[in-house]
Amino acid sequence: MLNLVLFGPPGAGKGTQSQKLIEQYKLVHLSTGDILRGEISNGTELGLEAKKLMDAGVLVPDEVVIGMISNKLDANRDANGFVFDGFPRTISQAEALDELLRSKGSAISGMIALEVDHEELQKRLLSRGKESGRPDDANPEVISKRIEEYNSKTAPVANFYKSQGKYSSINGIGSIEEIFNGITDVINSYKAV
Ligand code: AMP
């Protein structure tokens, strides 16, 4: 199985690159942000609770997203592998993911981090906000809060995978194809080992 964690701050291009990865390697895309937005549009209780936090730019509780991922892994037992996008976002989530995969006889192949500087992120998120209608992309204060959450809670997750020898980073600025080539080079290096 090829199980990738696509990592990087909001606006780094994880969603765009995930789409290309699932096509090329026939993987299942698991974006906790997309699953949560699905809950909101279906008007579920979970969605209503999550919306308040998402609109404020703060993380939803670990148990909520871990439960969602566990359900998706169970629902896709025959998958070739997964692209985890926007998950894990805390060390607890990373530990839980390792455990969930271990219980299925699988593991994370590697984390690939997309590196994009702060100024470029702000610019990308504001322009995405105008097009996507995502409320958390349209407000500069909420964007700053999301980047703050990323720096304090999510950035340490990179060390979790570094300590397992599973971390690679690539430049997240360039054309979609250039960045995708960088990602596939990393994936090919897994197979070479
Ligand atoms: P995203 O689409 O990945 O940018 O996520 C949008 C929002 O959903 C985030 O700002 C969080 O409020 C929430 N969210 C998504 N994934 C997670 C996660 N793994 N842990 C906690 N909150 C999450």
PDB file of all heavy atoms in Angstrom, residues 128-159:
ATOM      1  N   ARG A 128      -8.282  32.425  -3.071  1.00  0.00           N
ATOM      2  CA  ARG A 128      -9.157  31.245  -3.048  1.00  0.00           C
ATOM      3  C   ARG A 128     -10.503  31.609  -2.399  1.00  0.00           C
ATOM      4  O   ARG A 128     -11.550  31.155  -2.840  1.00  0.00           O
ATOM      5  CB  ARG A 128      -8.467  30.120  -2.266  1.00  0.00           C
ATOM      6  CG  ARG A 128      -9.263  28.830  -2.229  1.00  0.00           C
ATOM      7  CD  ARG A 128      -8.431  27.669  -1.707  1.00  0.00           C
ATOM      8  NE  ARG A 128      -8.433  27.584  -0.261  1.00  0.00           N
ATOM      9  CZ  ARG A 128      -7.719  26.685   0.438  1.00  0.00           C
ATOM     10  NH1 ARG A 128      -6.921  25.852  -0.175  1.00  0.00           N
ATOM     11  NH2 ARG A 128      -7.791  26.648   1.744  1.00  0.00           N
ATOM     12  N   GLY A 129     -10.449  32.439  -1.353  1.00  0.00           N
ATOM     13  CA  GLY A 129     -11.673  32.839  -0.640  1.00  0.00           C
ATOM     14  C   GLY A 129     -12.662  33.531  -1.541  1.00  0.00           C
ATOM     15  O   GLY A 129     -13.874  33.343  -1.441  1.00  0.00           O
ATOM     16  N   LYS A 130     -12.140  34.320  -2.478  1.00  0.00           N
ATOM     17  CA  LYS A 130     -13.033  35.041  -3.397  1.00  0.00           C
ATOM     18  C   LYS A 130     -13.737  34.062  -4.330  1.00  0.00           C
ATOM     19  O   LYS A 130     -14.880  34.253  -4.702  1.00  0.00           O
ATOM     20  CB  LYS A 130     -12.234  36.055  -4.220  1.00  0.00           C
ATOM     21  CG  LYS A 130     -11.815  37.258  -3.388  1.00  0.00           C
ATOM     22  CD  LYS A 130     -11.204  38.346  -4.264  1.00  0.00           C
ATOM     23  CE  LYS A 130     -10.438  39.346  -3.408  1.00  0.00           C
ATOM     24  NZ  LYS A 130      -9.015  39.414  -3.744  1.00  0.00           N
ATOM     25  N   GLU A 131     -13.020  32.981  -4.711  1.00  0.00           N
ATOM     26  CA  GLU A 131     -13.589  32.040  -5.685  1.00  0.00           C
ATOM     27  C   GLU A 131     -14.392  30.920  -5.039  1.00  0.00           C
ATOM     28  O   GLU A 131     -15.448  30.543  -5.520  1.00  0.00           O
ATOM     29  CB  GLU A 131     -12.461  31.392  -6.514  1.00  0.00           C
ATOM     30  CG  GLU A 131     -11.795  32.358  -7.461  1.00  0.00           C
ATOM     31  CD  GLU A 131     -10.342  31.985  -7.752  1.00  0.00           C
ATOM     32  OE1 GLU A 131      -9.973  30.814  -7.555  1.00  0.00           O
ATOM     33  OE2 GLU A 131      -9.584  32.894  -8.159  1.00  0.00           O
ATOM     34  N   SER A 132     -13.878  30.360  -3.920  1.00  0.00           N
ATOM     35  CA  SER A 132     -14.474  29.139  -3.371  1.00  0.00           C
ATOM     36  C   SER A 132     -15.679  29.419  -2.479  1.00  0.00           C
ATOM     37  O   SER A 132     -16.485  28.537  -2.233  1.00  0.00           O
ATOM     38  CB  SER A 132     -13.442  28.380  -2.540  1.00  0.00           C
ATOM     39  OG  SER A 132     -13.202  29.077  -1.328  1.00  0.00           O
ATOM     40  N   GLY A 133     -15.750  30.652  -1.958  1.00  0.00           N
ATOM     41  CA  GLY A 133     -16.834  30.955  -1.031  1.00  0.00           C
ATOM     42  C   GLY A 133     -16.605  30.349   0.345  1.00  0.00           C
ATOM     43  O   GLY A 133     -17.490  30.352   1.182  1.00  0.00           O
ATOM     44  N   ARG A 134     -15.403  29.787   0.601  1.00  0.00           N
ATOM     45  CA  ARG A 134     -15.125  29.253   1.937  1.00  0.00           C
ATOM     46  C   ARG A 134     -14.989  30.408   2.913  1.00  0.00           C
ATOM     47  O   ARG A 134     -14.109  31.254   2.750  1.00  0.00           O
ATOM     48  CB  ARG A 134     -13.819  28.448   1.912  1.00  0.00           C
ATOM     49  CG  ARG A 134     -14.017  26.990   1.623  1.00  0.00           C
ATOM     50  CD  ARG A 134     -12.721  26.243   1.648  1.00  0.00           C
ATOM     51  NE  ARG A 134     -12.047  26.273   2.945  1.00  0.00           N
ATOM     52  CZ  ARG A 134     -10.994  25.515   3.237  1.00  0.00           C
ATOM     53  NH1 ARG A 134     -10.515  24.702   2.343  1.00  0.00           N
ATOM     54  NH2 ARG A 134     -10.434  25.585   4.432  1.00  0.00           N
ATOM     55  N   PRO A 135     -15.853  30.466   3.950  1.00  0.00           N
ATOM     56  CA  PRO A 135     -15.800  31.622   4.857  1.00  0.00           C
ATOM     57  C   PRO A 135     -14.453  31.757   5.559  1.00  0.00           C
ATOM     58  O   PRO A 135     -14.006  32.871   5.830  1.00  0.00           O
ATOM     59  CB  PRO A 135     -16.922  31.349   5.864  1.00  0.00           C
ATOM     60  CG  PRO A 135     -17.377  29.954   5.651  1.00  0.00           C
ATOM     61  CD  PRO A 135     -16.903  29.511   4.309  1.00  0.00           C
ATOM     62  N   ASP A 136     -13.782  30.601   5.812  1.00  0.00           N
ATOM     63  CA  ASP A 136     -12.503  30.687   6.543  1.00  0.00           C
ATOM     64  C   ASP A 136     -11.353  31.165   5.654  1.00  0.00           C
ATOM     65  O   ASP A 136     -10.260  31.403   6.127  1.00  0.00           O
ATOM     66  CB  ASP A 136     -12.161  29.363   7.245  1.00  0.00           C
ATOM     67  CG  ASP A 136     -12.065  28.168   6.299  1.00  0.00           C
ATOM     68  OD1 ASP A 136     -12.543  28.268   5.145  1.00  0.00           O
ATOM     69  OD2 ASP A 136     -11.518  27.144   6.723  1.00  0.00           O
ATOM     70  N   ASP A 137     -11.592  31.299   4.353  1.00  0.00           N
ATOM     71  CA  ASP A 137     -10.558  31.826   3.459  1.00  0.00           C
ATOM     72  C   ASP A 137     -10.758  33.319   3.183  1.00  0.00           C
ATOM     73  O   ASP A 137      -9.877  33.965   2.637  1.00  0.00           O
ATOM     74  CB  ASP A 137     -10.592  31.106   2.098  1.00  0.00           C
ATOM     75  CG  ASP A 137      -9.925  29.735   2.136  1.00  0.00           C
ATOM     76  OD1 ASP A 137      -9.157  29.475   3.078  1.00  0.00           O
ATOM     77  OD2 ASP A 137     -10.182  28.947   1.222  1.00  0.00           O
ATOM     78  N   ALA A 138     -11.944  33.831   3.510  1.00  0.00           N
ATOM     79  CA  ALA A 138     -12.273  35.187   3.068  1.00  0.00           C
ATOM     80  C   ALA A 138     -11.839  36.265   4.070  1.00  0.00           C
ATOM     81  O   ALA A 138     -11.785  37.432   3.726  1.00  0.00           O
ATOM     82  CB  ALA A 138     -13.777  35.289   2.801  1.00  0.00           C
ATOM     83  N   ASN A 139     -11.519  35.853   5.302  1.00  0.00           N
ATOM     84  CA  ASN A 139     -11.266  36.832   6.353  1.00  0.00           C
ATOM     85  C   ASN A 139      -9.806  36.774   6.823  1.00  0.00           C
ATOM     86  O   ASN A 139      -9.356  35.747   7.328  1.00  0.00           O
ATOM     87  CB  ASN A 139     -12.234  36.465   7.501  1.00  0.00           C
ATOM     88  CG  ASN A 139     -12.052  37.347   8.713  1.00  0.00           C
ATOM     89  OD1 ASN A 139     -10.987  37.907   8.933  1.00  0.00           O
ATOM     90  ND2 ASN A 139     -13.105  37.445   9.516  1.00  0.00           N
ATOM     91  N   PRO A 140      -9.053  37.873   6.649  1.00  0.00           N
ATOM     92  CA  PRO A 140      -7.622  37.853   6.983  1.00  0.00           C
ATOM     93  C   PRO A 140      -7.343  37.449   8.435  1.00  0.00           C
ATOM     94  O   PRO A 140      -6.353  36.779   8.710  1.00  0.00           O
ATOM     95  CB  PRO A 140      -7.174  39.295   6.737  1.00  0.00           C
ATOM     96  CG  PRO A 140      -8.206  39.891   5.862  1.00  0.00           C
ATOM     97  CD  PRO A 140      -9.488  39.163   6.096  1.00  0.00           C
ATOM     98  N   GLU A 141      -8.253  37.813   9.364  1.00  0.00           N
ATOM     99  CA  GLU A 141      -8.023  37.443  10.772  1.00  0.00           C
ATOM    100  C   GLU A 141      -8.141  35.931  10.970  1.00  0.00           C
ATOM    101  O   GLU A 141      -7.382  35.335  11.728  1.00  0.00           O
ATOM    102  CB  GLU A 141      -9.032  38.138  11.682  1.00  0.00           C
ATOM    103  CG  GLU A 141      -8.590  39.541  12.057  1.00  0.00           C
ATOM    104  CD  GLU A 141      -9.698  40.343  12.700  1.00  0.00           C
ATOM    105  OE1 GLU A 141     -10.543  39.752  13.414  1.00  0.00           O
ATOM    106  OE2 GLU A 141      -9.731  41.562  12.456  1.00  0.00           O
ATOM    107  N   VAL A 142      -9.132  35.338  10.293  1.00  0.00           N
ATOM    108  CA  VAL A 142      -9.312  33.885  10.414  1.00  0.00           C
ATOM    109  C   VAL A 142      -8.130  33.160   9.756  1.00  0.00           C
ATOM    110  O   VAL A 142      -7.630  32.158  10.284  1.00  0.00           O
ATOM    111  CB  VAL A 142     -10.665  33.436   9.800  1.00  0.00           C
ATOM    112  CG1 VAL A 142     -10.800  31.920   9.807  1.00  0.00           C
ATOM    113  CG2 VAL A 142     -11.823  34.071  10.557  1.00  0.00           C
ATOM    114  N   ILE A 143      -7.646  33.702   8.652  1.00  0.00           N
ATOM    115  CA  ILE A 143      -6.480  33.099   7.990  1.00  0.00           C
ATOM    116  C   ILE A 143      -5.285  33.124   8.945  1.00  0.00           C
ATOM    117  O   ILE A 143      -4.576  32.127   9.118  1.00  0.00           O
ATOM    118  CB  ILE A 143      -6.148  33.840   6.674  1.00  0.00           C
ATOM    119  CG1 ILE A 143      -7.246  33.570   5.641  1.00  0.00           C
ATOM    120  CG2 ILE A 143      -4.784  33.414   6.130  1.00  0.00           C
ATOM    121  CD1 ILE A 143      -7.069  34.317   4.337  1.00  0.00           C
ATOM    122  N   SER A 144      -5.081  34.268   9.599  1.00  0.00           N
ATOM    123  CA  SER A 144      -3.954  34.361  10.534  1.00  0.00           C
ATOM    124  C   SER A 144      -4.108  33.364  11.661  1.00  0.00           C
ATOM    125  O   SER A 144      -3.142  32.729  12.088  1.00  0.00           O
ATOM    126  CB  SER A 144      -3.853  35.766  11.129  1.00  0.00           C
ATOM    127  OG  SER A 144      -3.503  36.650  10.114  1.00  0.00           O
ATOM    128  N   LYS A 145      -5.350  33.201  12.160  1.00  0.00           N
ATOM    129  CA  LYS A 145      -5.593  32.249  13.246  1.00  0.00           C
ATOM    130  C   LYS A 145      -5.265  30.830  12.780  1.00  0.00           C
ATOM    131  O   LYS A 145      -4.668  30.042  13.527  1.00  0.00           O
ATOM    132  CB  LYS A 145      -7.074  32.346  13.677  1.00  0.00           C
ATOM    133  CG  LYS A 145      -7.454  31.476  14.835  1.00  0.00           C
ATOM    134  CD  LYS A 145      -6.800  31.963  16.119  1.00  0.00           C
ATOM    135  CE  LYS A 145      -6.705  30.852  17.136  1.00  0.00           C
ATOM    136  NZ  LYS A 145      -5.843  31.170  18.269  1.00  0.00           N
ATOM    137  N   ARG A 146      -5.654  30.488  11.558  1.00  0.00           N
ATOM    138  CA  ARG A 146      -5.375  29.134  11.041  1.00  0.00           C
ATOM    139  C   ARG A 146      -3.872  28.905  10.922  1.00  0.00           C
ATOM    140  O   ARG A 146      -3.373  27.822  11.219  1.00  0.00           O
ATOM    141  CB  ARG A 146      -6.055  28.946   9.678  1.00  0.00           C
ATOM    142  CG  ARG A 146      -7.556  28.743   9.835  1.00  0.00           C
ATOM    143  CD  ARG A 146      -8.289  28.945   8.528  1.00  0.00           C
ATOM    144  NE  ARG A 146      -7.921  27.982   7.522  1.00  0.00           N
ATOM    145  CZ  ARG A 146      -8.076  28.189   6.221  1.00  0.00           C
ATOM    146  NH1 ARG A 146      -8.576  29.321   5.778  1.00  0.00           N
ATOM    147  NH2 ARG A 146      -7.732  27.251   5.373  1.00  0.00           N
ATOM    148  N   ILE A 147      -3.140  29.949  10.502  1.00  0.00           N
ATOM    149  CA  ILE A 147      -1.690  29.783  10.362  1.00  0.00           C
ATOM    150  C   ILE A 147      -1.049  29.661  11.753  1.00  0.00           C
ATOM    151  O   ILE A 147      -0.132  28.862  11.969  1.00  0.00           O
ATOM    152  CB  ILE A 147      -1.099  30.921   9.497  1.00  0.00           C
ATOM    153  CG1 ILE A 147      -1.634  30.763   8.059  1.00  0.00           C
ATOM    154  CG2 ILE A 147       0.426  30.887   9.499  1.00  0.00           C
ATOM    155  CD1 ILE A 147      -1.249  31.855   7.093  1.00  0.00           C
ATOM    156  N   GLU A 148      -1.627  30.392  12.725  1.00  0.00           N
ATOM    157  CA  GLU A 148      -1.136  30.298  14.112  1.00  0.00           C
ATOM    158  C   GLU A 148      -1.376  28.875  14.663  1.00  0.00           C
ATOM    159  O   GLU A 148      -0.488  28.287  15.291  1.00  0.00           O
ATOM    160  CB  GLU A 148      -1.953  31.300  14.927  1.00  0.00           C
ATOM    161  CG  GLU A 148      -1.326  31.809  16.189  1.00  0.00           C
ATOM    162  CD  GLU A 148      -2.324  32.771  16.846  1.00  0.00           C
ATOM    163  OE1 GLU A 148      -2.642  33.821  16.237  1.00  0.00           O
ATOM    164  OE2 GLU A 148      -2.812  32.440  17.951  1.00  0.00           O
ATOM    165  N   GLU A 149      -2.560  28.327  14.428  1.00  0.00           N
ATOM    166  CA  GLU A 149      -2.865  26.951  14.855  1.00  0.00           C
ATOM    167  C   GLU A 149      -1.892  25.973  14.200  1.00  0.00           C
ATOM    168  O   GLU A 149      -1.403  25.038  14.822  1.00  0.00           O
ATOM    169  CB  GLU A 149      -4.295  26.556  14.426  1.00  0.00           C
ATOM    170  CG  GLU A 149      -5.407  27.180  15.218  1.00  0.00           C
ATOM    171  CD  GLU A 149      -5.675  26.429  16.517  1.00  0.00           C
ATOM    172  OE1 GLU A 149      -6.497  25.501  16.524  1.00  0.00           O
ATOM    173  OE2 GLU A 149      -5.044  26.801  17.530  1.00  0.00           O
ATOM    174  N   TYR A 150      -1.625  26.240  12.931  1.00  0.00           N
ATOM    175  CA  TYR A 150      -0.700  25.371  12.196  1.00  0.00           C
ATOM    176  C   TYR A 150       0.679  25.406  12.858  1.00  0.00           C
ATOM    177  O   TYR A 150       1.280  24.360  13.127  1.00  0.00           O
ATOM    178  CB  TYR A 150      -0.597  25.827  10.730  1.00  0.00           C
ATOM    179  CG  TYR A 150       0.423  25.026   9.956  1.00  0.00           C
ATOM    180  CD1 TYR A 150       0.090  23.782   9.432  1.00  0.00           C
ATOM    181  CD2 TYR A 150       1.732  25.492   9.792  1.00  0.00           C
ATOM    182  CE1 TYR A 150       1.034  23.014   8.760  1.00  0.00           C
ATOM    183  CE2 TYR A 150       2.673  24.730   9.123  1.00  0.00           C
ATOM    184  CZ  TYR A 150       2.319  23.496   8.615  1.00  0.00           C
ATOM    185  OH  TYR A 150       3.254  22.734   7.964  1.00  0.00           O
ATOM    186  N   ASN A 151       1.169  26.619  13.128  1.00  0.00           N
ATOM    187  CA  ASN A 151       2.523  26.736  13.688  1.00  0.00           C
ATOM    188  C   ASN A 151       2.622  26.102  15.069  1.00  0.00           C
ATOM    189  O   ASN A 151       3.604  25.438  15.378  1.00  0.00           O
ATOM    190  CB  ASN A 151       2.958  28.196  13.746  1.00  0.00           C
ATOM    191  CG  ASN A 151       3.238  28.748  12.350  1.00  0.00           C
ATOM    192  OD1 ASN A 151       3.592  27.992  11.448  1.00  0.00           O
ATOM    193  ND2 ASN A 151       3.060  30.041  12.165  1.00  0.00           N
ATOM    194  N   SER A 152       1.574  26.284  15.901  1.00  0.00           N
ATOM    195  CA  SER A 152       1.698  25.779  17.279  1.00  0.00           C
ATOM    196  C   SER A 152       1.375  24.287  17.388  1.00  0.00           C
ATOM    197  O   SER A 152       2.047  23.564  18.101  1.00  0.00           O
ATOM    198  CB  SER A 152       0.836  26.600  18.245  1.00  0.00           C
ATOM    199  OG  SER A 152      -0.519  26.466  17.903  1.00  0.00           O
ATOM    200  N   LYS A 153       0.333  23.815  16.682  1.00  0.00           N
ATOM    201  CA  LYS A 153      -0.110  22.428  16.895  1.00  0.00           C
ATOM    202  C   LYS A 153       0.288  21.469  15.769  1.00  0.00           C
ATOM    203  O   LYS A 153       0.540  20.299  16.015  1.00  0.00           O
ATOM    204  CB  LYS A 153      -1.632  22.381  17.044  1.00  0.00           C
ATOM    205  CG  LYS A 153      -2.096  23.135  18.268  1.00  0.00           C
ATOM    206  CD  LYS A 153      -3.596  23.144  18.388  1.00  0.00           C
ATOM    207  CE  LYS A 153      -4.031  24.016  19.550  1.00  0.00           C
ATOM    208  NZ  LYS A 153      -5.403  24.482  19.379  1.00  0.00           N
ATOM    209  N   THR A 154       0.316  21.974  14.539  1.00  0.00           N
ATOM    210  CA  THR A 154       0.501  21.060  13.404  1.00  0.00           C
ATOM    211  C   THR A 154       1.964  20.929  12.980  1.00  0.00           C
ATOM    212  O   THR A 154       2.422  19.819  12.684  1.00  0.00           O
ATOM    213  CB  THR A 154      -0.377  21.516  12.218  1.00  0.00           C
ATOM    214  OG1 THR A 154      -1.732  21.616  12.675  1.00  0.00           O
ATOM    215  CG2 THR A 154      -0.318  20.533  11.063  1.00  0.00           C
ATOM    216  N   ALA A 155       2.702  22.045  12.982  1.00  0.00           N
ATOM    217  CA  ALA A 155       4.105  21.961  12.533  1.00  0.00           C
ATOM    218  C   ALA A 155       4.888  20.873  13.292  1.00  0.00           C
ATOM    219  O   ALA A 155       5.690  20.157  12.673  1.00  0.00           O
ATOM    220  CB  ALA A 155       4.776  23.328  12.647  1.00  0.00           C
ATOM    221  N   PRO A 156       4.660  20.677  14.613  1.00  0.00           N
ATOM    222  CA  PRO A 156       5.407  19.617  15.322  1.00  0.00           C
ATOM    223  C   PRO A 156       5.165  18.200  14.775  1.00  0.00           C
ATOM    224  O   PRO A 156       5.968  17.303  15.037  1.00  0.00           O
ATOM    225  CB  PRO A 156       4.891  19.712  16.769  1.00  0.00           C
ATOM    226  CG  PRO A 156       4.349  21.104  16.908  1.00  0.00           C
ATOM    227  CD  PRO A 156       3.831  21.474  15.548  1.00  0.00           C
ATOM    228  N   VAL A 157       4.082  18.010  14.034  1.00  0.00           N
ATOM    229  CA  VAL A 157       3.801  16.675  13.481  1.00  0.00           C
ATOM    230  C   VAL A 157       4.924  16.251  12.505  1.00  0.00           C
ATOM    231  O   VAL A 157       5.210  15.072  12.350  1.00  0.00           O
ATOM    232  CB  VAL A 157       2.409  16.642  12.792  1.00  0.00           C
ATOM    233  CG1 VAL A 157       2.141  15.291  12.133  1.00  0.00           C
ATOM    234  CG2 VAL A 157       1.315  16.963  13.806  1.00  0.00           C
ATOM    235  N   ALA A 158       5.589  17.251  11.886  1.00  0.00           N
ATOM    236  CA  ALA A 158       6.704  16.927  10.986  1.00  0.00           C
ATOM    237  C   ALA A 158       7.790  16.166  11.756  1.00  0.00           C
ATOM    238  O   ALA A 158       8.363  15.196  11.238  1.00  0.00           O
ATOM    239  CB  ALA A 158       7.273  18.199  10.366  1.00  0.00           C
ATOM    240  N   ASN A 159       8.072  16.589  12.989  1.00  0.00           N
ATOM    241  CA  ASN A 159       9.115  15.920  13.784  1.00  0.00           C
ATOM    242  C   ASN A 159       8.760  14.470  14.089  1.00  0.00           C
ATOM    243  O   ASN A 159       9.626  13.616  14.190  1.00  0.00           O
ATOM    244  CB  ASN A 159       9.353  16.665  15.104  1.00  0.00           C
ATOM    245  CG  ASN A 159      10.006  18.006  14.847  1.00  0.00           C
ATOM    246  OD1 ASN A 159      10.768  18.145  13.895  1.00  0.00           O
ATOM    247  ND2 ASN A 159       9.682  18.997  15.664  1.00  0.00           N
TER     248      ASN A 159
END
